[in-house]
Amino acid sequence: MMNYDFLGQDITYLPGVGPNRKKLLSKELGIETFGDLLEYYPYKYVDRSRVYTVSELTGDMPFVQVVGTILSFETFKMKPTKDRVVAHFSDGTAVMDLVWFGAGGKYAKQNYRIGTEYLVFGRPTVFNNRIQVSHPDIDEASKTDTSAMGMQPYYNTTDRMKNAGLTTRGMERLTKTLVEKLPPVAETLPDFIVGRLHLMGRDEALRTIHYPKDAKTLERARVRLKFEELFFVQLNILRYASDQRRKYRGYVFGHIGPIFNTFYKSHLPFPLTEAQKRVVREIRKDMGSGRQMNRLLQGDVGSGKTLVALMSMLIALDNGYQACIMAPTEILAEQHLQTIRDFLGDMPLRVELLTGIVKGRRRQEVLDGLLDGSVHILVGTHAVIEDPVQFMKLGMVVVDEQHRFGVAQRAKLWAKSANPPHVLVMTATPIPRTLAMTLYGDLDVSVIDELPPGRKPIVTQHYFDARITSLYEGIRRQIRLGRQVYIVFPLIEESEKSDMKNLEQGFEVLSEAFPEFRLSKVHGKMKPADKEAEMKRFVSGETQILVATTVIEVGVNVPNASVMVIMDAQRFGLSQLHQLRGRVGRGADQSFCLLVTPYKLSEETRKRIDIMCDTNDGFRIAEADLKLRGPGDLEGTAQSGMAFDLKIADIARDGQLVQMARDEAQAIVDDDPACNSQEYQLLWQQLNDQHKAKINWGVIS
């Protein structure tokens, strides 16, 4: 079997490439070696085994091929430097035209001969009541075996590549050269997996994916390569998680004492939902197990995650340890502080804040309190992991919303404690199960999938911008009832200037439309102090309307705000729309989310808007978003980047394969946690050899 030296060869040395094309392939597609080209898979295929007659062709057919001869050439002057060349072509059943523009016509006249039989391949259209094919692929019929052609692969290329002559056909020629030179490829999966799952061998799969004989064989090759890709991602995740669990013993919090019980009996603001009870049980079990808890807590906006997190922290306090909660912004940290103090009421517990604005003597008092143990719960931003912050006994850490809490940061927290503290990572961005398995594979997952009693579902409505006047009337009615309103404008970096103009103009228009009300304005370019001040004016009720960009997507909790208006809603993704909607519906009043768009919308945008109007279920929305947009664009993953490069698998559409890959990987890690069994050496070697399979844990966990 072949070793990796062949696939590791520089792509420059593949016939047809050379230094210039190597530079282009490297810059445009990241292809540096033979192996990179072999793993640059086609995006579609066209069946080349069928030959049509010219009389069968219509203008709405996809790619077709016919065999016949060129009867004559005609040249039409288009511009001084550009001709249109037409070859009249027939197979005896009818006549069609082959058309070239510019240099292509010159090439055709020089290279194709009248009377020679050719195989012509291309997409037919109708011009002047005659079938024509522009810039067709042409091969001599006598030198081409159509029955052996099977399905022709098509490769994604860039404009720069096309301009340099590397079209999809050019890429196919390079791939064909490589596959013809390819010695037998070594297997990467053990026989027991390949046999039990009836997978195609790796060598056959890599050849078939480029040149499949038929659709059935192609599907088998795809399944094999997708499974392998997902399997090594899962094996890496699970091996890492297993290593962490074996290396780090957790504190055993087996005692539920007076702090937790007093809170549960006398301070619960409302009865826990069944989902909250289930999650608290899962967390209690983890914390008492003797292994360090690493748990992801998923729950839609308003599902009561903070209450569950507080109860988890109280378990640590009952066992003589301190707890802390980290939030991504100062305003969110302050909000957590207030919420926790309100929940605890008169309980004799010291809860303190540590953010950039806590300075001087006040800061020193907090630091001293952490060291002597008199501060029980610390609430802060990432400032809590800075070196000067030392705890007497840190036992529990809660990390809130969108804070990519990487291994390097975890290690900093662990250094503050004899044993690593238990970790609970919370997110209000519902993550589809297949994506959670891949992005947060080293964390156990808990889900709060029901809202507290008394919460009314948010009513979501779609308004075309032509109806803006009636929308203003609805806003006016809500404010007169004593409610407050968010009005959000899109702000994306690609067109930041025009978007800022939109926001500024929008603010002026709204100020004129609502002269009787007070407005606040918030956007990401403001100084933090100014932004905080404007937010606080809205939180306190001093202003009735908050005009903002998506900076309010995660953050303020204003129970009195009952209307969310999203302008140009077609420019937001589903998850983002859902997050923005979650800013309202936090009080007992009926809340509304109004999506404003122009009348002309793409089909995909209409689907997004319809899904938003149909459901408030964040998990359904996340699944739909994953299917519509793919994993790389989802909330959180776009910012942090998919930390592994999936070349053929698609997490949105390959859910069953993700699960199958995870089950296989889990069985192996359970059977060989120390990674030293001879039976699995091939797999452990693969993980160590293939740097592409390695995952940047600091980014995603």
Side-chain angles (χ1 to χ4, degrees), residues 564-624:
M564 167 63 70
V565 180
I566 304 174
M567 308 300 288
D568 285 324
Q570 76 280 3
R571 292 177 60 191
F572 294 87
L574 260 177
S575 287
Q576 211 174 19
L577 290 171
H578 182 63
Q579 283 288 311
L580 286 166
R581 174 166 64 183
R583 295 299 99 213
V584 296
R586 291 167 165 256
D589 303 309
Q590 179 62 64
S591 290
F592 302 88
C593 176
L594 310 173
L595 308 174
V596 184
T597 72
Y599 189 74
K600 198 172 178 185
L601 296 173
S602 71
E603 191 183 340
E604 188 181 303
T605 304
R606 279 188 190 278
K607 275 185 194 163
R608 282 209 304 270
I609 302 292
D610 288 346
I611 290 164
M612 282 295 294
C613 294
D614 287 347
T615 183
N616 280 298
D617 183 336
F619 287 93
R620 268 187 65 196
I621 285 166
E623 290 285 356

Side-chain angles (χ1 to χ4, degrees), residues 189 222-238 434-435 437-438 631 642 644-666 687 693 695:
L189 295 174
R222 272 187 173 146
V223 166
R224 157 63 207 234
L225 295 172
K226 285 179 177 187
F227 173 83
E228 177 182 328
E229 195 168 59
L230 294 166
F231 172 76
F232 280 113
V233 167
Q234 293 296 338
L235 189 63
N236 211 347
I237 291 169
L238 295 168
T434 51
L435 192 59
M437 265 195 272
T438 313
M642 291 293 272
F644 37 86
D645 180 18
L646 293 179
K647 290 186 167 70
I648 189 167
D650 179 339
I651 291 170
R653 292 170 180 82
D654 296 325
Q656 272 185 303
L657 277 176
V658 174
Q659 186 64 59
M660 193 193 297
R662 188 172 182 84
D663 291 346
E664 291 293 330
Q666 187 70 65
L687 285 189
I695 292 179

Side-chain angles (χ1 to χ4, degrees), residues 376-391:
H376 301 103
I377 297 174
L378 179 68
V379 182
T381 53
H382 61 275
V384 305
I385 61 173
E386 290 167 4
D387 291 338
V389 182
Q390 295 296 327
F391 293 79

Side-chain angles (χ1 to χ4, degrees), residues 295-355:
R295 189 166 282 279
L296 173 69
L297 175 55
Q298 286 185 253
D300 232 333
V301 173
S303 60
K305 294 184 299 298
T306 309
L307 181 58
V308 167
L310 174 59
M311 293 172 75
S312 309
M313 291 192 279
L314 297 183
I315 295 172
L317 268 55
D318 263 332
N319 286 272
Y321 285 81
Q322 295 159 292
C324 83
I325 179 165
M326 287 169 60
T329 63
E330 290 189 353
I331 195 161
L332 200 50
E334 286 177 31
Q335 197 172 297
H336 276 315
L337 179 78
Q338 195 54 52
T339 303
I340 288 170
R341 282 180 173 167
D342 289 347
F343 278 153
L344 293 173
D346 59 2
M347 288 182 71
L349 296 174
R350 186 176 169 193
V351 185
E352 294 288 2
L353 180 73
L354 192 66
T355 65

